[in-house]
Amino acid sequence: MEKKKLTLTSLNKEEYPDKEVECVVVKDMKAYVQYLLENGAKVKYAQKTASVSARVGVVGEEVDTRPRVERDGQVYVIGETKGKVKVEGSMIVKNPDGEEYIIEPDKFASKYRATSEKGVYKPTDGPIKYVEIDQDIAFTAPWGEEMYGVKGAVLNISSLDDVYAIQNEAFSKTYTDVERTKE
């Protein structure tokens, strides 16, 4: 089993230092999800319920898209990830935990609706199907970039062809568990 080092970068270096962890490299996400399920992982459902702030990005604009994670009561960011706005009209979304990401216009319109508050949007997507992970992992996300999932993060397994991690900090602040839905 291949492993690699991952640095969790402190958001408050005066109070707590960066932390280095070792993660398992997952080459086949479908097989990994099957392994989790065969070894006791419970499938759960959650609805994104938290509002987000969003603004129109400028083509070429760089956005710090490092996910935030909680570990041992402290909050860190992972990696050096920067996204670039590539499509006119793309939205830069900011979750309640502070994480930012870029969504192309059509996808944004299918996932969010405007509220009466300027720049604030409510999610409209249905519930996701997920499993929690019990180890730190590294894998290639469906969009081709390296992605990490830290212990306690969840994997969205609504589609096994589109499995991605939602870090524990973002998940706890933006999602609410719901009862199983029809599949």
Side-chain angles (χ1 to χ4, degrees), residues 35 54 82:
Y35 165 81
K82 293 202 184 307

Side-chain angles (χ1 to χ4, degrees), residues 107-128:
K107 194 169 186 179
F108 182 83
S110 73
K111 291 182 170 284
Y112 296 97
R113 67 173 167 73
T115 67
S116 59
E117 190 176 343
K118 184 179 180 185
V120 176
Y121 297 82
K122 291 291 276 179
T124 59
D125 262 0
I128 65 164

Side-chain angles (χ1 to χ4, degrees), residues 5-137:
K5 299 281 185 196
L6 170 63
T7 299
L8 303 179
T9 305
S10 171
L11 285 180
N12 188 342
K13 294 194 187 283
E14 282 116 37
E15 288 190 27
Y16 55 97
D18 292 352
K19 183 175 270 203
E20 192 169 273
V21 298
E22 191 171 74
C23 56
V24 173
V25 177
V26 175
K27 302 273 187 196
D28 182 339
M29 222 28 178
K30 287 181 185 179
Y32 182 70
V33 169
Q34 187 63 37
Y35 165 81
L36 292 174
L37 295 174
E38 289 171 357
N39 287 280
K42 302 288 186 228
V43 174
K44 297 180 182 177
Y45 297 83
Q47 178 71 48
K48 188 170 188 176
T49 54
S51 294
V52 298
S53 60
R55 64 177 178 79
V56 177
V58 177
V59 172
E61 177 180 357
E62 272 196 353
V63 178
D64 180 349
T65 57
R66 294 178 297 177
R68 285 158 172 68
V69 299
E70 187 277 328
R71 183 67 146 261
D72 303 325
Q74 308 298 340
V75 179
Y76 300 86
V77 290
I78 301 175
E80 300 294 327
T81 312
K82 293 202 184 307
K84 249 190 193 176
V85 177
K86 297 175 184 166
V87 176
E88 187 76 35
S90 290
M91 300 296 284
I92 298 171
V93 177
K94 187 173 189 174
N95 276 338
D97 72 331
E99 177 185 7
E100 290 187 314
Y101 49 94
I102 303 163
I103 298 183
E104 292 185 6
D106 292 343
K107 194 169 186 179
F108 182 83
S110 73
K111 291 182 170 284
Y112 296 97
R113 67 173 167 73
T115 67
S116 59
E117 190 176 343
K118 184 179 180 185
V120 176
Y121 297 82
K122 291 291 276 179
T124 59
D125 262 0
I128 65 164
K129 180 178 174 180
Y130 75 92
V131 293
E132 189 173 323
I133 57 175
D134 62 359
Q135 64 183 342
D136 300 318
I137 63 170

